[in-house]
Amino acid sequence: MLPSETAETAESTVMVEPSTPIKEPPAPAPAKMIADLDAPAEPPEAVVVIAPQDETNIWFRIQRQLMMEAPEVPRVISQRDWYLRNPAYMERVAKRAQPFMHLIVEEIEKRGMPLELALLPIVESAFDPFAYSHGRAAGIWQFIPGTARHYGLEINWWYDGRRDVHAATHAALDYLDALHTMFDGNWLHALAAYNSGEGRVRGAIRKNKRAGKPTDFWSLDLPRETRAYVPKLLALADILKHHETYQYSWVPIDNQPYLAVVHAESQIDLAKAAEHAGLTLEQLHHYNSGYNRWATDPQGPHRLLLPLENAKQLETWLASSDAKDWVQWTRHRVKNGESLLVIAKKYHTTVDAIRQANGVRGSMIRAGEYLLIPVATRDLTDYSLSAEQRLADTQATPRGQHKIEHQVEAGDTLWDISRKYNVNLRALAKWNGMAPTDPLRQGRKLVVWLPEDEKPSGVIRSLSYRVRSGDSLARIANRFGVKIADIEKWNQISRKNYLQPGQQLKLFVDVTRLNSQS
């Protein structure tokens, strides 16, 4: 994890625009000897000026266009020291960034924005396309759902645009540009707002104005995470800008395109795309982490990012093949009682995909008729970076001595479940690839990890119990084989208070040991 911020005093506003260095007057030329005066003058050596875009290493291309100064304040110093002490971390990040950095830098330059922004995914996600935060933010640019949709990123069963590096980069720069305008050209305010929301930064500015205090970033009362967030970016830029001074080597990344965009006309199975591009399925899915399932969304996009040579190979196959061969099809005979939803779940697709493939309107289907269903060409476990397989891997990762499953009942929340098992809420969410505020779907199975001294037994289910006339906490606890203290904890009530008939209580019970009289 990155270091926590340290205490600091208010400093002067950070300079955003590049300043023109003050040049010292040239030293007087030494007096020439008389014999030299008659000597032919030597032609001056030609000075070769290399444009930033012509650098061989993309880090130097970024370095030569950095605009923001990092003040020597404790918040920046502590972040810079952490990065300098952890070169292995930065090496891992640089390797993740390598395929994507060129397209990001190109887009930033095209818009005339500060090149410091190319370093922002390091702060946001360590350049992990599958990063998911406790605040429900996803992808290398860490978009939350609401902001993502506002800036045109689709999020559905098939596809999550927040993890699509190509789409999310454009959306992130759109958002940052809007914030820069909103905060009157102040990039530090814009960056703080990207992290904690424009409303919070505006409120902090207004508060300082009313109190007669400075309104520069360093003077604002902002959340702890945001107070460290901007210094992290400035520290990274400072290390890159003065890498020789710090004797710090950045893992080289070639300053040339690595990925090309390939557009398919309709849904394509990722396994087929990988096969005809000459890549492994995992490689292709890593470059295209926005796709949640085994294929692109039937409604699009069908865009794929691939290394240059592999992109050419895939384009050649797409041009010579029929779109109906880009996915595999099976004929399904509708049985009595089946619905489109039941059929869709069986074949790991969606109702809309079946409707689209068969020209079906509404939900009416008849027993005996046949439907064409798009299906994966390979076993679903082979799609190791799909949402299902990533979740399965996450839930299988040992986090304690004992693993139990909890099946979500109507009304369950992660907070309820964390209290039931006496585990940390954020830990519970992490074990299940979720954020603490994510909604729960009834029937979903969650894993709970417990230490050695809390070995579970039986099958735990949550129940909603309606209090009857004459009930007491003791009577209810005895009926369901639980403790009065647990009922109090689960429902935030006290045994000192009377229960009211009709009152709903949440209970977590071992259904294998329920008293037969209950």
Side-chain angles (χ1 to χ4, degrees):
M1 292 179 63
L2 296 183
S4 60
E5 64 182 309
T6 57
E8 76 294 331
T9 57
E11 301 290 337
S12 58
T13 304
V14 174
M15 190 168 7
V16 176
E17 299 298 330
S19 58
T20 303
I22 300 174
K23 297 182 179 179
E24 297 291 337
K32 292 179 178 288
M33 297 181 64
I34 295 176
D36 291 335
L37 295 177
D38 296 328
E42 295 183 4
E45 291 185 11
V47 178
V48 179
V49 179
I50 301 176
Q53 291 74 16
D54 294 330
E55 291 280 4
T56 57
N57 186 337
I58 202 162
W59 295 118
F60 297 150
R61 176 176 176 177
I62 297 170
Q63 178 205 31
R64 291 181 55 188
Q65 301 179 80
L66 295 173
M67 300 169 61
M68 303 178 193
E69 293 295 334
E72 286 294 300
V73 296
R75 273 192 271 174
V76 174
I77 293 169
S78 66
Q79 302 297 344
R80 183 177 63 208
D81 288 348
W82 189 92
Y83 287 124
L84 292 174
R85 288 196 309 268
N86 291 274
Y89 169 83
M90 290 301 298
E91 182 177 346
R92 291 195 302 274
V93 170
K95 288 179 179 177
R96 289 190 198 131
Q98 188 264 338
F100 310 113
M101 188 58 89
H102 190 272
L103 69 86
I104 292 172
V105 169
E106 288 268 300
E107 188 59 30
I108 292 173
E109 287 181 347
K110 189 188 303 180
R111 296 166 180 249
M113 300 172 81
L115 265 294
E116 281 84 355
L117 301 182
L119 307 177
L120 198 57
I122 299 177
V123 179
E124 286 287 353
S125 62
F127 261 101
D128 179 2
F130 293 102
Y132 189 64
S133 79
H134 61 82
R136 302 184 69 196
I140 67 168
W141 293 99
Q142 288 290 279
F143 271 104
I144 60 174
T147 307
R149 291 190 172 98
H150 181 77
Y151 283 91
L153 297 177
E154 182 70 27
I155 303 173
N156 59 45
W157 190 82
W158 290 101
Y159 170 77
D160 190 336
R162 298 175 298 169
R163 294 200 308 269
D164 180 337
V165 174
H166 182 275
T169 295
H170 286 77
L173 297 180
D174 287 345
Y175 184 29
L176 285 161
D177 187 48
L179 291 171
H180 180 245
T181 300
M182 180 184 299
F183 289 99
D184 301 320
N186 189 312
W187 272 113
L188 298 194
H189 286 167
L191 287 163
Y194 187 88
N195 176 253
S196 63
E198 52 264 36
R200 191 172 305 228
V201 177
R202 276 175 160 174
I205 292 172
R206 284 195 299 268
K207 181 180 177 182
N208 276 25
K209 281 183 177 178
R210 287 195 299 267
K213 296 179 179 179
T215 58
D216 60 280
F217 167 78
W218 308 99
S219 303
L220 298 181
D221 182 15
L222 294 169
R224 180 174 180 174
E225 179 184 331
T226 308
R227 288 167 60 82
Y229 177 84
V230 173
K232 286 175 186 176
L233 182 65
L234 295 177
L236 284 167
D238 185 57
I239 293 170
L240 179 55
K241 192 173 186 178
H242 302 103
H243 65 97
E244 292 180 344
T245 302
Y246 297 120
Q247 298 182 336
Y248 193 89
S249 297
W250 291 69
V251 175
I253 297 178
D254 290 341
N255 183 23
Q256 59 185 14
Y258 185 88
L259 299 172
V261 178
V262 176
H263 293 280
E265 295 177 358
S266 64
Q267 187 179 36
I268 183 168
D269 187 318
L270 299 183
K272 284 205 170 193
E275 176 188 350
H276 292 283
L279 293 168
T280 67
L281 176 52
E282 186 168 337
Q283 285 173 325
L284 181 136
H285 210 161
H286 177 77
Y287 299 134
N288 298 277
S289 47
Y291 297 117
N292 288 332
R293 311 296 165 182
W294 53 271
T296 62
D297 184 346
Q299 304 295 329
H302 308 299
R303 177 184 57 244
L304 294 171
L305 280 175
L306 302 172
L308 300 182
E309 288 303 313
N310 305 98
K312 291 178 182 176
Q313 193 171 328
L314 180 61
E315 284 178 332
T316 300
W317 177 71
L318 291 174
S320 61
S321 60
D322 193 316
K324 66 180 176 58
D325 296 326
W326 298 351
V327 293
Q328 183 170 292
W329 299 87
T330 190
R331 289 180 80 228
H332 175 83
R333 190 170 188 268
V334 179
K335 300 173 184 176
N336 281 323
E338 279 190 326
S339 66
L340 286 176
L341 182 59
V342 168
I343 298 169
K345 286 183 177 180
K346 177 179 180 179
Y347 291 104
H348 298 276
T349 185
T350 57
V351 170
D352 284 343
I354 298 175
R355 284 196 188 115
Q356 181 179 332
N358 295 275
V360 174
R361 292 184 179 180
S363 301
M364 291 297 295
I365 52 176
R366 293 185 177 86
E369 70 178 338
Y370 286 90
L371 296 173
L372 278 176
I373 313 292
V375 294
T377 57
R378 289 167 58 172
D379 190 283
L380 291 176
T381 58
D382 291 341
Y383 298 80
S384 59
L385 295 181
S386 69
E388 292 99 331
Q389 290 307 306
R390 285 186 287 108
L391 175 59
D393 290 344
T394 297
Q395 292 183 325
T397 303
R399 316 279 187 169
Q401 291 297 315
H402 302 291
K403 173 185 173 183
I404 61 174
E405 282 191 351
H406 176 91
Q407 186 166 332
V408 175
E409 301 286 343
D412 271 357
T413 67
L414 282 174
W415 186 65
D416 289 332
I417 299 167
S418 70
R419 287 189 301 155
K420 158 62 190 170
Y421 296 104
N422 195 28
V423 296
N424 179 269
L425 173 60
R426 286 197 178 184
L428 176 64
K430 186 176 181 180
W431 300 336
N432 293 281
M434 303 175 68
T437 55
D438 281 351
L440 292 177
R441 186 184 69 253
Q442 186 174 355
R444 176 172 180 171
K445 291 183 179 179
L446 302 179
V447 299
V448 182
W449 290 92
L450 299 176
E452 177 67 36
D453 57 352
E454 293 187 26
K455 186 174 182 180
S457 62
V459 178
I460 305 297
R461 293 286 184 267
S462 64
L463 299 177
S464 180
Y465 177 77
R466 183 185 295 274
V467 176
R468 305 169 188 171
S469 179
D471 270 346
S472 66
L473 286 180
R475 181 173 294 179
I476 296 170
N478 181 63
R479 181 181 299 165
F480 291 98
V482 297
K483 297 177 182 178
I484 294 175
D486 285 336
I487 300 178
E488 291 177 311
K489 179 179 67 174
W490 299 332
N491 295 278
Q492 291 189 302
I493 59 176
S494 169
R495 67 190 74 192
K496 297 177 182 179
N497 299 329
Y498 289 107
L499 294 177
Q500 300 296 325
Q503 182 178 349
Q504 293 285 349
L505 296 179
K506 169 85 75 173
L507 305 175
F508 292 89
V509 303
D510 180 352
V511 295
T512 64
R513 300 176 60 186
L514 274 179
N515 188 311
S516 60
Q517 295 181 346
S518 66

